[in-house]
Amino acid sequence: MARILILSSEVACGHVGLSAGQPVLQRLGHSVTGLPTIMLSNHPGFAHVAGDRVPVERLRAMVDALADNGWLGAHDAVQTGYLPSPEHVDFACELIDRMRALRPGLRVIVDPVLGDDPGGLYVSQDTAMTMRESLISRADIVTPNRFEAEWLGHVLNQTARVVETSARAGARFGALDRSADGATFYPVAKQANVPQGTGDMLAALIAADVPLGQALGYLQSLIAASLGAPHLAIAEAHDIWTRATALKGEPHGL
């Protein structure tokens, strides 16, 4: 089983960011080290929310402590998610470089949490630009949604593998897995009233080196068990989604 460090948002109630990836991976037997970039009561899409960003200086001190205890170099992968400021993006770059120096074979997964259709960017332009200019090139795998893939554009060519969620192949909806070896499309049913956190969960599963078809199988099963609920039913439906079979992909000509 893998040991993953996740740098992302954390909520007290619900399953988004770190609070989605961590319980999913732990349920599957993986070990997770969580570094919260922001701590909130819940996803800000609800009527009431409280919390604040975690200062970069505090995150840096936490990483120093992990290193001093001999744990930082023990990770198989690092995954970044929501980064609320350019300074947090810079810190993510520093962290990746530091961990790679300790473990050259480290897998780096960047979930570029920038925005979505139809609202566009939901981070500042400076944060998005810093991510595009500094962070993407450090990734082995990037997991953008359709809007983020379009916004990042040719910069994604610097990455060995791109898994685009909410992709389209003609009239079909799904995930598109692109690498130097070619492209594979995984069609899925588009659902309404899906709780937040599905992209965070998928990025974490990819960070743990779960094959994409199996990761999507887990995700689609959990979505079906969570429709209409305020949060993903990670714990409540674990007997269902952890037994899901893998989805099949098909070659896709770009």
Side-chain angles (χ1 to χ4, degrees):
M1 293 298 174
R3 185 177 184 121
I4 316 298
L5 187 149
I6 300 178
L7 175 71
S8 191
S9 56
E10 184 175 33
V11 293
C13 182
H15 296 296
V16 295
L18 172 60
S19 300
Q22 188 165 34
V24 163
L25 292 187
Q26 289 174 333
R27 179 65 67 177
L28 294 174
H30 301 288
S31 177
V32 179
T33 301
L35 287 176
T37 57
I38 187 171
M39 301 181 73
L40 300 174
S41 56
N42 45 264
H43 186 272
F46 290 94
H48 306 284
V49 63
D52 209 346
R53 298 174 182 180
V54 177
V56 167
E57 295 77 11
R58 188 172 303 161
L59 289 168
R60 191 172 285 118
M62 292 169 69
V63 171
D64 287 344
L66 293 173
D68 291 343
N69 285 326
W71 299 330
L72 191 62
H75 293 87
D76 301 297
V78 57
Q79 180 227 318
T80 69
Y82 180 68
L83 303 169
S85 73
E87 293 75 24
H88 284 83
V89 178
D90 289 340
F91 169 75
C93 295
E94 293 173 18
L95 176 63
I96 290 167
D97 293 347
R98 185 172 181 178
M99 293 179 69
R100 270 197 168 134
L102 293 169
R103 188 157 187 168
L106 182 80
R107 291 193 308 277
V108 177
I109 293 80
V110 170
D111 185 15
V113 183
L114 299 174
D116 205 349
D117 294 318
L121 287 176
Y122 45 60
V123 298
S124 71
Q125 187 81 12
D126 286 347
T127 301
M129 290 294 292
T130 305
M131 188 177 296
R132 183 163 67 182
E133 293 169 0
S134 302
L135 184 58
I136 298 301
S137 62
R138 286 173 163 82
D140 298 307
I141 306 172
V142 183
T143 60
N145 60 32
R146 190 218 60 81
F147 169 83
E148 291 158 347
E150 185 174 288
W151 198 90
L152 292 168
H154 71 276
V155 176
L156 290 176
N157 295 334
Q158 302 174 25
T159 306
R161 182 182 174 199
V162 176
V163 178
E164 181 183 340
T165 60
S166 64
R168 293 190 179 276
R172 295 187 302 167
F173 177 86
L176 180 62
D177 189 1
R178 294 179 278 153
S179 70
D181 296 327
T184 304
F185 183 73
Y186 292 82
V188 299
K190 189 171 184 179
Q191 301 276 12
N193 300 317
V194 178
Q196 298 284 342
T198 56
D200 304 299
M201 172 180 170
L202 182 62
L205 289 168
I206 292 171
D209 208 23
V210 176
L212 183 56
Q214 183 61 73
L216 290 167
Y218 289 146
L219 184 60
Q220 291 304 301
S221 179
L222 179 57
I223 286 173
S226 307
L227 290 177
H231 309 293
L232 291 172
I234 293 172
E236 301 88 335
H238 76 274
D239 281 342
I240 299 172
W241 68 264
T242 56
R243 298 178 182 178
T245 57
L247 300 190
K248 292 184 179 180
E250 56 193 46
H252 182 76
L254 296 175

